[in-house]
Amino acid sequence: MRIGFAAWTAGLAIMASGAHAQTVTPVTRDLRILTGTSGNVVMMRTKDGVLIVDDQRPADVPEIVAAARAAFDLPVRSVINTHWHMDHSGGNEAFRKAGATVIAHRNVCIRRSTDQFMPAYNRTIPAAASGALPDMLFDAGLTLFVEDEVVTLTHAPAAHTDGDVIVRFARANVIHMGDLYFNGIWPFIDRASGGSVQGVIRSVDLALGIADAGTVIVPAHGPLSDRAGLKRYRVMLIEVTAAVRRQIAKGETRDQVVAAKPAAAWRAGMVGNEDGFVGAVYDSLKGEGASAPAIPAAGSCG
């Protein structure tokens, strides 16, 4: 069964925010985490203003601006997009107009600059205006030295999408995973944007390799977590993927695999679209060895 895009994202907003009760969690003197309407936003104070990770949707911009002002009495001056989806890059245009620099993987710019059809929700996301595109691009990774903090952005290929990044704040010991980690929510893997369960698992392994027991792990949606929570998420991904692989080996169709409920053992505490997740795992495994979905022409993002 498929659910509508609006219903799915509205559900995420409620789960992420506790029915829109936005909260701000202090981590260090200079770093806060906003649990916003559409997801979790890291906010870090700098001498020039506030650096944020993900800017949610256009309608959510005022809550981010207000949270940054309340926490640090400063405007937002830098934005990092963890990937192209609108609940992570939808505020780009407003923040750029206000003078912020938007930083993202090159594929975020490419995806946002062209129409994107999402088959899982039967919806086309129109190409963004040039003012909504990130203006500082990178490929494999980028390191930002911000006063006494080192912020590393590492590309996670073919994971949730083809433009995901893991954002690590070394001194604060915080890692923002974007949609590479859904905490308490069945993952959405955007196959049409080059995503795969194999890439998600690789990205989780990468994050686990740089995290320790004290690391704050920030999922894009759901409660804040830690290394132990991310390890449990990895086990779920591995076990469900193995179960689907076994069914594929038996010659079962996609519908048969989804109907068999191979993720049922992990339902406790989970919400969202279980069948959609299993279907994406099936599609990922059936696509092994095939070429990745075509990335649109680079255009102004070349």
Side-chain angles (χ1 to χ4, degrees):
M1 180 183 69
R2 289 180 176 175
I3 60 175
F5 181 88
W8 188 83
T9 52
L12 286 187
I14 293 171
M15 289 180 281
S17 66
H20 303 287
Q22 295 85 28
T23 61
V24 174
T25 302
V27 179
T28 70
R29 183 188 66 181
D30 294 324
L31 191 142
R32 307 281 190 273
I33 299 169
L34 166 67
T35 300
T37 298
S38 298
N40 296 318
V41 178
V42 169
M43 307 184 298
M44 186 184 77
R45 173 169 44 198
T46 77
K47 63 177 173 26
D48 299 319
V50 180
L51 178 151
I52 66 171
V53 180
D54 284 345
D55 54 21
Q56 304 191 88
R57 299 183 179 279
D60 303 323
V61 168
E63 78 179 23
I64 299 174
V65 171
R69 282 288 184 186
F72 303 122
D73 194 25
L74 290 168
V76 173
R77 285 290 177 255
S78 301
V79 176
I80 297 170
N81 296 151
T82 59
H83 61 288
W84 78 266
H85 289 158
M86 291 298 291
D87 52 335
H88 300 264
S89 69
N92 283 0
E93 185 168 18
F95 282 114
R96 283 196 64 189
K97 284 182 178 178
T101 297
V102 178
I103 306 163
H105 188 269
R106 190 175 310 278
N107 289 347
V108 172
C109 182
I110 293 171
R111 295 270 177 204
R112 285 297 315 272
S113 63
T114 57
D115 291 351
Q116 295 295 305
F117 179 64
M118 301 182 74
Y121 309 115
N122 193 30
R123 183 182 179 189
T124 297
I125 310 300
S130 59
L133 301 179
D135 50 335
M136 183 175 178
L137 306 177
F138 63 93
D139 292 302
L142 180 69
T143 300
L144 306 172
F145 297 93
V146 187
E147 281 102 63
D148 59 352
E149 182 60 275
V150 180
V151 185
T152 57
L153 288 66
T154 304
H155 181 217
H160 171 65
T161 68
D162 56 18
D164 299 282
V165 295
I166 296 169
V167 185
R168 182 192 186 202
F169 297 80
R171 186 179 179 87
N173 202 10
V174 171
I175 297 175
H176 197 312
M177 296 286 293
D179 278 353
L180 299 169
Y181 181 18
F182 288 80
N183 191 12
I185 306 164
W186 293 112
F188 167 48
I189 299 170
D190 189 351
R191 293 281 298 151
S193 292
S196 69
V197 71
Q198 300 95 321
V200 173
I201 293 169
R202 287 192 296 269
S203 74
V204 170
D205 287 341
L206 177 59
L208 288 172
I210 58 176
D212 59 35
T215 304
V216 177
I217 306 288
V218 184
H221 308 286
L224 303 183
S225 189
D226 56 14
R227 192 175 190 277
L230 187 60
K231 286 183 70 175
R232 289 192 294 273
Y233 182 71
R234 181 188 187 277
V235 173
M236 181 276 291
L237 293 170
I238 292 292
E239 290 190 358
V240 174
T241 299
V244 172
R245 193 184 294 278
R246 288 193 295 270
Q247 291 174 271
I248 290 174
K250 295 177 183 177
E252 295 184 1
T253 67
R254 188 184 197 276
D255 286 345
Q256 289 173 324
V257 172
V258 171
K261 307 298 181 186
W266 289 92
R267 282 182 186 158
M270 296 290 281
V271 296
N273 189 355
E274 177 186 341
D275 289 353
F277 166 55
V278 171
V281 173
Y282 177 94
D283 293 340
S284 298
L285 295 175
K286 290 292 285 187
E288 282 184 326
S291 59
I295 298 174
S300 60
C301 304

